[in-house]
Amino acid sequence: MKIGFIGIGVMGEAMAGHLLKAGHDLYVYNRTKSKADRLVEAGAVWCDDVKSIATTCDLIFTIIGVPADVENVYLGEEGLVNHARAHSILVDMTTSTPDLAKRIYEAGKVKGLQCLDAPVTGGDVGAKNGTLTIMVGGDEETYNEVLPILELMGQTIVYMGAAGSGQHTKMANQIAIAGAAIGMVEALAYSKGAGLDLETVLKAVTSGSAASWQLSNMAPRIIKDDFNPGFFIKHFIKDMRIACSESKAMNVDLPGLELVLSLYEECQKRELENCGTQALYKLYEK
């Protein structure tokens, strides 16, 4: 199978790498060509633009920046929907808006294409280890067809329902992460203020009812003064803003999410947007 992959970033490079290692013919495109160098050296074929991917591949994955980029890549004049071959399958793994996912699905259907929204969670570690959680919206028949390929990148793959359902599920995921992230950094800030050894605190609290992915994975990075991105603050802000907008449209009040968003926006004001989400801790440093 000829598989296209658009978006070779922190997550995309590792995800695409799993497809290449499985023996598939992989065609890649990224706005910054150098980010695809390692994949090309490993055997992937570089394409100069989105259109070239569209006209070459049977199955195309995308994981790119923001909804505006997704809209352009899929619905733009030189985009996938206009140039993909009939019966191709397009899978957007970007965290985007449910409404855009539905529009891509409908536009693809008119062209004889099958489109899925399949955002992921698990960060850079999950991408490298092939243990991502993937939440999928679209036609179940298409989901079943693509599932063996998704299993190369993820460990937990769940079909959520009609187009847009994957994105709605990812919003629920990001809302949960927001609460866990603030709990994690405030626990560390409190422990440091009390004069406790932070590594010993983690040994105590990560085996009980306070255990969380954030405490197990992000807190150790903070202790090591590692604020490199497994997931960028700027992307988390984008996700939380989408979640806030969707919740307001549904008349659902989420004051906790709004609080965490405001704190991350403060991080952005302090020019921390290209750090990992664990850099929220810097707001609590004296």
Side-chain angles (χ1 to χ4, degrees), residues 5-84:
F5 205 103
I6 298 173
I8 311 300
V10 171
M11 304 279 287
E13 181 179 3
M15 294 164 69
H18 294 307
L19 306 182
L20 192 60
K21 289 174 187 174
H24 293 288
D25 294 331
L26 185 69
Y27 296 77
V28 297
Y29 170 73
N30 192 69
R31 284 186 299 192
T32 304
K33 184 178 180 180
S34 60
K35 291 184 178 180
D37 285 348
R38 283 191 290 264
L39 287 172
V40 172
E41 289 169 6
V45 178
W46 170 259
C47 292
D48 288 326
D49 51 36
V50 170
K51 183 178 178 180
S52 298
I53 293 272
T55 57
T56 302
C57 300
D58 311 296
L59 171 62
I60 301 169
F61 293 95
T62 58
I63 183 164
I64 43 188
V66 296
D69 295 330
V70 174
E71 183 168 16
N72 183 56
V73 165
Y74 278 85
L75 303 179
E77 187 174 331
E78 298 297 307
L80 294 175
V81 170
N82 275 339
H83 296 284

Side-chain angles (χ1 to χ4, degrees), residues 78-112:
E78 298 297 307
L80 294 175
V81 170
N82 275 339
H83 296 284
R85 298 183 293 184
H87 310 299
S88 294
I89 300 175
L90 312 179
V91 184
D92 184 31
M93 307 186 86
T94 314
T95 299
S96 184
T97 67
D99 177 67
L100 179 56
K102 292 174 186 175
R103 287 198 287 125
I104 290 170
Y105 172 85
E106 293 297 339
K109 195 173 182 180
V110 170
K111 296 279 189 174

Side-chain angles (χ1 to χ4, degrees), residues 221-233:
R221 296 190 188 192
I222 291 171
I223 292 172
K224 294 175 184 176
D225 203 34
D226 176 7
F227 297 102
N228 291 318
F231 184 52
F232 287 102
I233 281 177

